[in-house]
Every structure is written in C-alpha cells, then in structure tokens.
C-alpha cells in the first residue's frame, strides 16, 4: 500500500474542505482549547489515542478515503497526527498551517476561549497578567 502524504494547507483551504464535508478533528489539550477557543462541530480527540475515534489500524472505524482535517495549536502538533493517519492508510488528510490561531484569524468558525495561557498539560491554566 502506498502511503499518501498529508497536506499542510492554509486555514482558508482547510476550512473549505470542512465546509465540503471533511471530518474535522481537534487534537489540542483541554487547556489549549479552554484558553484559545473551540471550533464548533470539531471532534475532540487525544493525539495519543487515535484509536478512540478512528478504530485500530487493522480495523478502521472511519473509512480510509474520508477527508480528514486536523487542527492543533500549530502544525508541530497536527503534523505528527496527520502523518500517523496517513500511515494508517488514510488517503485524504490535511492539517492547518499555523494551527488554531490561523484558523481563528482567518475568520473561520470558532468560539472564544478564556484568554488564559495554558502552562502545561497537567498544570492549572493561569490568567495573563
């Protein structure tokens, strides 16, 4: 099987894919989403537990030809997830250049966050001074 490479796309292009029916997943931490905001309709998943949404690699729960758009805080977070999905055989995977900030700044659907800065995956979120 040939592995398809995920596409790193500008937020507007990724938003158009979602508008056309792509499956949108948000792999940011709870703190990241709370601080920066959420994307209405996005499926939230842990980047380290893709099986929870996609099923195992040997028995996918989502069709391998389903268009998928991955959002994180930046492409450094979404890229490894997009690559993992491509390695599982997904043939139409896109992740967002600039991550959620670019998505929000492009005027795509987003709910506001608290504006707090997440300090780490297990630390409480602290308000900016």
């Amino acid at each position: 099987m040939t592995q398809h490479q995920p596409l790193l796309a500008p937020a507007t292009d990724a938003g158009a894919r979602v508008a056309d029916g792509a499956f949108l997943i948000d792999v940011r931490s709870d703190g990241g989403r709370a601080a920066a905001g959420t994307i209405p309709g996005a499926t939230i998943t842990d980047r380290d537990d893709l099986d929870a949404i996609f099923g195992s690699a040997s028995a996918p729960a989502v069709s391998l030809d389903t268009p998928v758009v991955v959002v994180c805080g930046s492409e450094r977070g979404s890229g490894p997830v997009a690559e993992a999905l491509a390695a599982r055989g997904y043939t139409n995977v896109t992740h967002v250049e600039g991550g959620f900030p670019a998505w929000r700044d492009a005027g795509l659907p987003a709910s506001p966050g608290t504006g707090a800065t997440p300090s780490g995956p297990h630390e409480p979120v602290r308000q900016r001074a």
Side-chain angles (χ1 to χ4, degrees):
M1 166 173 53
T2 301
Q3 180 176 329
H4 294 265
Q5 291 300 311
L7 173 67
L8 177 61
T12 52
D13 292 356
R17 289 173 184 265
V18 171
D20 288 342
F23 182 43
L24 176 62
I25 63 169
D26 187 339
V27 297
R28 292 176 295 148
S29 68
D30 291 342
R33 286 189 313 279
T38 60
I39 302 172
T43 297
I44 308 304
T45 190
D46 183 328
R47 72 180 106 214
D48 295 321
D49 187 16
L50 296 177
D51 287 0
I53 300 295
F54 292 94
S56 68
S58 61
V62 176
S63 175
L64 296 177
D65 62 354
T66 299
V68 178
V69 173
V70 183
V71 175
C72 195
S74 75
E75 61 265 16
R76 289 186 317 271
S78 61
V81 173
E83 289 170 4
L85 290 171
R88 289 171 174 239
Y90 287 89
T91 59
N92 191 352
V93 180
T94 301
H95 64 118
V96 180
E97 184 176 14
F100 178 77
W103 177 278
R104 180 192 57 225
D105 293 348
L108 295 166
S111 299
T114 62
T117 302
S119 53
H122 303 290
E123 297 176 24
V125 174
R126 294 187 177 90
Q127 293 290 339
R128 290 184 186 151

